């Protein structure tokens, strides 16, 4: 029987603590061969607050863990006895849980790996938002977001200068929402 991936429901905000507790219980029971991985799905995000860039971990699915395992009675009992465990996602009452499709697993793990190499910029702006420019040549001027470029971490903002709309490209940290 091959190890499949499943989603587990756990207490929100305690995902990492519950993951560590599960891993310890699995090792204590000698079940590492049938439960190779327990993962908190996260991505690294760069945020700008008060003009300073900060790197933080953002949970992709708050209140859930991903586990790769062969579902046996011993594994089920060990997981069920872990404080904070709420149950499996998928499957109906009395039926075994439904594994996550491999394509979905690959997508989630790929997103996690991608954020390790290049953290994603946290986007707080949308097209049409009114913003005030906080620094640079256009400081204290108001404008409208015309385009958001997530990959580059920039905004194209239309600023009115001398009665004409002028496009300006700015970083997220250079503007604030009105």
């Amino acid at each position: 029987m091959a190890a499949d991936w499943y989603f587990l429901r756990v207490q929100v905000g305690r995902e990492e603590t519950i993951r560590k507790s599960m891993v310890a219980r699995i090792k204590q029971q000698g079940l590492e061969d049938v439960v190779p991985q327990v993962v908190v799905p996260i991505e690294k995000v760069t945020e700008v607050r008060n003009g300073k860039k900060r790197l933080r971990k953002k949970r992709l699915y708050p209140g859930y863990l991903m586990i790769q395992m062969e579902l046996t009675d011993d594994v089920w009992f060990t997981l069920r006895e872990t404080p904070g465990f709420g149950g499996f996602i998928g499957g109906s009452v009395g039926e075994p849980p439904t594994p996550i499709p491999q394509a979905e697993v690959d997508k989630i793990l790929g997103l996690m790996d991608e954020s390790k190499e290049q953290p994603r910029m946290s986007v707080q702006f949308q097209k049409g938002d009114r913003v005030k420019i906080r620094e640079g040549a256009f400081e204290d001027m108001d404008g409208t977001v015309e385009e958001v470029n997530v990959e580059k971490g920039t905004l194209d903002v239309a600023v009115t200068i001398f009665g004409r709309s002028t496009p300006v490209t700015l970083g997220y940290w250079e503007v604030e929402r009105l």
Side-chain angles (χ1 to χ4, degrees):
M1 183 176 177
D4 288 318
W5 284 91
Y6 298 89
F7 269 119
L8 303 178
R9 201 172 33 254
V10 297
Q11 289 178 345
V12 177
R14 294 193 51 228
E15 294 88 352
E16 187 58 37
T17 307
I18 294 167
R19 186 197 73 79
K20 287 179 182 175
S21 177
M22 261 183 203
V23 168
R25 285 173 169 273
I26 288 164
K27 283 184 181 173
Q28 187 179 30
Q29 297 296 323
L31 299 170
E32 299 101 319
D33 336 348
V34 290
V35 185
Q37 296 184 69
V38 181
V39 177
V40 178
I42 60 163
E43 69 176 331
K44 291 186 179 165
V45 176
T46 303
E47 287 184 333
V48 179
R49 287 212 179 147
N50 300 326
K52 295 181 181 157
K53 282 188 177 183
R54 289 185 1 182
L55 187 67
R56 76 174 184 97
K57 293 179 181 177
K58 178 184 169 199
R59 290 186 299 273
L60 293 171
Y61 305 103
Y64 296 94
L65 296 178
M66 284 176 54
I67 185 167
Q68 184 182 23
M69 66 177 183
E70 292 177 28
L71 189 56
T72 65
D73 290 341
D74 291 340
V75 171
W76 168 244
F77 180 77
T78 302
L79 296 177
R80 196 180 70 210
E81 294 301 311
T82 304
F85 172 74
F88 286 93
I89 299 300
S92 54
V93 178
E95 297 288 319
T98 308
I100 307 170
Q102 191 59 46
E104 187 72 19
V105 172
D106 294 342
K107 181 177 149 191
I108 294 167
L109 295 178
L111 187 60
M112 289 174 63
D113 286 343
E114 192 177 287
S115 76
K116 283 180 187 171
E117 297 163 14
Q118 178 64 34
R120 185 176 63 81
M121 211 45 188
S122 177
V123 181
Q124 294 135 2
F125 299 100
Q126 297 177 13
K127 184 175 179 174
D129 284 351
R130 296 281 302 153
V131 295
K132 181 177 201 81
I133 301 171
R134 295 191 312 191
E135 55 187 68
F138 301 99
E139 187 172 355
D140 292 329
M141 296 184 85
D142 295 348
T144 304
V145 175
E146 295 293 319
E147 193 173 327
V148 179
N149 189 330
V150 179
E151 291 79 29
K152 292 182 181 176
T154 61
L155 302 171
D156 288 341
V157 178
V159 180
T160 304
I161 303 172
F162 303 120
R164 298 177 110 168
S165 181
T166 306
V168 180
T169 301
L170 302 164
Y172 289 140
W173 59 92
E174 296 178 286
V175 298
E176 65 185 29
R177 183 179 275 122
L178 288 177

